Amino acid sequence: MTTTSATPTGVRAWQVVRYGRPTEALELGTIAPPRPGPGEILVRTSASVCNYNEVDGCHGRYLTINPPLPYTLGMEFVGEVIAAGEGAEPWVGRRVMGTGTGATGAHAELVVGPVDMAFDVPQQLSDVEAAAFFYPFHLAHLGLHERGRLQAGETVLVHAAAGGVGSAAVQLAVAAGARVIATAGGPEKLDFARGLGAEVAIDYRDGGFASAVLEATDGRGVDVCFDGVGGDVTLESLRCLTRNGRHLVIGFAGGIEAEEIPIVNGRALCFGNFSLVGVILAYSDPALLPPGSGFNPTPPQVGREVQAHLVELLAAGQIRPVVGRVVPFEQLPEALEDMEARTTMGRIVVQIRP
């Protein structure tokens, strides 16, 4: 293992020790320093980010990421690489943003992550801004461009447009020359979405959105739906798709239980003449997985290409990270509960080290 300095003997970390609300499930304690394996880096974290799947993890209802208790919560990090495993030595000393191995471990002073999911922080971004940049823009870019094949002049429906990933999708769609229809909850969030470039903003709390979307498109419907909510929002969205439309299944912020529920029956899919498109941000060599695993990650080279394009758009002023709030490390549980209550906009960044 290659290092730049001595590794601390104890690391502060937020761990899920029981299931319940974040303030009930999480405890701030000291753990042994993690060690990077082959292809991994050890990062001294300066910031992490709150995610909906972490709320679900606290409640014990997120089956995709469900390690035995106790475990260190946290998917995304920003910080300095202080050590590296075999094959990752060139990363030592670099300022990076990425995800923890197994999408856990980031809400801690040290975190281990795979180099396939790590990227250099653009020079013009602070650590806090970088924390709000990596995951939302990479996921939105993969959805809109690689999977959604978005073209200039098309119309995109973006749900939860005032959130971290939704706000990135609005900006990227506008930068691609698309027309954006956004949904959000409440006047403040609607104004926020318009400020990012949405031409039409619809309050989903007024009793649905399909009629308003169809009215805004003269009955035609949208070419692409960027859906990170799931559940009933997905079902209503399918009424809004035009012929050859693409519905992007990004996530399940409306309730992780929807992850296990079939989205649509064959008849609706056939008659609708649209496509259901799955999207996941997971850069890894597909050849390392057993055939028939059902998991099809994106090759790391695609991630490098996405990063290069995003940096170009950032430098041109066409996109920007949206930091809704910065909270001290000690206030992480309360911040996750605010997210669960839908009272936040943009990304909640946790400042671990100033």
Side-chain angles (χ1 to χ4, degrees):
M1 182 174 69
T2 301
T3 65
T4 58
S5 60
T7 302
T9 57
V11 176
R12 289 199 308 159
W14 280 106
Q15 291 205 301
V16 181
V17 298
R18 66 186 67 86
Y19 293 131
R21 295 170 49 192
T23 53
E24 300 167 342
L26 291 169
E27 286 187 3
L28 181 58
T30 301
I31 63 171
R35 293 179 60 86
E40 293 182 329
I41 51 178
L42 177 66
V43 176
R44 179 185 289 117
T45 49
S46 58
S48 58
V49 190
C50 293
N51 285 280
Y52 278 109
N53 62 17
E54 294 164 8
V55 174
D56 291 318
C58 288
H59 286 283
R61 61 194 179 205
Y62 190 33
L63 301 182
T64 302
I65 302 173
N66 189 30
L69 301 181
Y71 71 92
T72 302
L73 194 67
M75 184 167 65
E76 304 167 58
F77 62 79
V78 175
E80 179 189 359
V81 180
I82 63 170
E86 181 182 355
E89 294 87 354
W91 287 83
V92 174
R94 290 157 68 171
R95 188 168 69 113
V96 299
M97 51 192 183
T99 63
T101 297
T104 63
H107 294 313
E109 292 175 323
L110 293 178
V111 59
V112 164
V115 294
D116 287 347
M117 288 289 287
F119 299 86
D120 291 305
V121 173
Q123 292 184 354
Q124 62 266 54
L125 295 183
S126 67
D127 287 1
V128 167
E129 292 169 330
F133 181 78
F134 161 57
Y135 199 90
F137 281 99
H138 272 257
L139 180 57
H141 194 289
L142 287 173
L144 292 173
H145 291 292
E146 192 196 36
R147 303 290 291 129
R149 306 297 182 188
L150 178 65
Q151 302 296 314
E154 291 189 317
T155 300
V156 182
L157 172 61
V158 178
H159 291 305
V165 177
S167 63
V170 171
Q171 295 179 71
L172 286 176
V174 171
R179 180 195 186 206
V180 176
I181 299 174
T183 69
E188 183 181 6
K189 292 184 178 181
L190 295 178
D191 287 342
F192 181 74
R194 294 188 190 99
L196 294 175
E199 181 179 320
V200 178
I202 300 167
D203 192 338
Y204 66 84
R205 300 186 306 183
D206 288 341
F209 55 83
S211 296
V213 171
L214 292 172
E215 181 179 353
T217 58
D218 295 324
R220 176 181 178 273
V222 301
D223 300 285
V224 177
C225 176
F226 189 92
D227 177 13
V229 181
D232 291 340
V233 169
T234 296
L235 296 177
E236 186 171 357
S237 298
L238 300 181
R239 296 171 46 202
C240 303
L241 289 171
T242 190
R243 176 177 171 271
N244 290 327
R246 290 86 75 196
H247 184 96
L248 310 178
V249 181
I250 303 293
F252 304 92
I256 198 63
E257 298 84 358
E259 192 175 48
E260 305 297 325
I261 301 173
I263 294 176
V264 64
N265 61 42
R267 179 183 180 189
L269 183 61
C270 180
F271 283 25
N273 216 9
F274 54 72
S275 299
L276 288 175
V277 183
V279 185
I280 185 172
L281 173 49
Y283 299 126
S284 182
D285 185 352
L288 299 178
L289 295 171
S293 66
F295 179 51
N296 297 307
T298 302
Q301 179 55 34
V302 174
R304 305 301 161 196
E305 294 167 0
V306 169
Q307 176 74 0
H309 187 216
L310 291 175
V311 171
E312 289 178 2
L313 293 175
L314 180 69
Q318 292 184 275
I319 61 173
R320 63 177 177 87
V322 177
V323 179
R325 188 190 310 176
V326 180
V327 299
F329 189 44
E330 293 75 14
Q331 295 179 15
L332 169 68
E334 291 80 6
L336 286 172
E337 292 197 358
D338 288 344
M339 172 174 277
E340 186 174 21
R342 303 293 195 271
T343 61
T344 63
M345 293 195 302
R347 298 288 266 171
I348 301 178
V349 178
V350 180
Q351 194 159 38
I352 299 175
R353 184 178 288 104

